[in-house]
Amino acid sequence: MKICICISHEQVNPNSIIKQKIYDKLATVDWSVKFECFFKKYNIPYDTVYIDRLDWIKNIKQYDLIIWKPKFMGNESSQFFKEKVYFIQHILKKIIIPNYETVWHFDSKIAQSYIFDHINAKVVKTYTSFDYNESIRIANNLDYPIVVKKSNGAGSTGVSLCKSKKKLIRKIDNHFIFNKFKNHILNTKHDNFGYFYAQKFLKNNLKDLRITVIGDKYAFWFWRTNRNNDFRASGSGLIDYNTPVDKSIIEYCAKINKDNNFDSMAYDILFDEKGNFYIIEMSYGYSDIAVRNSNGYFYISEDGTVNDFIKGHYWPQELWVKWLISKVDKKKEFNVKWK
């Protein structure tokens, strides 16, 4: 079986000093660099394909296994990413990590809510509607405050706490009516589609819990402390690696991964006043350095129970490589000696 690492946003060669300085300031490191390191570490043969180029389909057809993690994952770029993952997996019939099951709902809290509702997951009470009248009816019957969110965005962007029905109805009006009117007057090309997405506010949470599960075998955890005078923890950069975690929460998240064929997923979790945990959202994309700085990871056994704790600092890219090989190498074709 032939493996390739996809490379996105390769190094550019600007034709001016100013362009070079701008690029250098904005440049980030592609996960492919670390993927290469770990394929080399375990003596696994691989090639690379520049997947942003015109000839990417022709080049990728010769491989059986593909691993790809772009470094830019905004609202627009993630759409192109998902389209290519779908094409590779379902049209070319290749094995790709992450698979389409993992990424189709990325950067869409609304899409995630469909999955959570379908599997009856332990999630905080969530309200999603694309109907103005229904959104107003919901607003009239809520307990306040309520957390209102944009469907896309990370690091708490587009997340606000609405403390009254009057303010929430104003937000709904803006989303469904006034923004459309403004776009019409300004003759913009913005999408005039309206929606409402909100979640119950769980008070007295000074931090949230981030569980990162790779495949159904490896799990990291850490806590994120809220910003000063704020209810939001995501994106604060205030990370606690020492407070222990209830293993049953890790097992619960790992089961979601296994049941839904997710290759990698990070779950954000809060607690109610009785100590019950609730998932707020999930994301295939996450900071590798935040995971690497953890004190180690739990190994999850075949029956889904948390087993050994492996101490140390590990890049998630290494465990992505291990997960890829474990998925396909039933005949031990690669003969890998894991370290």
Side-chain angles (χ1 to χ4, degrees), residues 14 30 93 102 107 132 139 144 152 158 169 241 252 288 324 339:
D30 193 315
K93 307 297 183 183
T102 303
D107 205 28
Y132 172 79
Y144 291 86
N152 65 293
I169 290 178
Y241 291 105
Y252 186 83
D288 61 350
L324 171 65
K339 302 173 184 177

Side-chain angles (χ1 to χ4, degrees), residues 155-157 206 225-238:
S156 295
T157 57
L206 300 180
T225 303
N226 295 355
R227 301 172 175 87
N228 289 332
N229 302 314
D230 201 333
F231 73 100
R232 298 169 297 180
S234 178
S236 71
L238 304 172

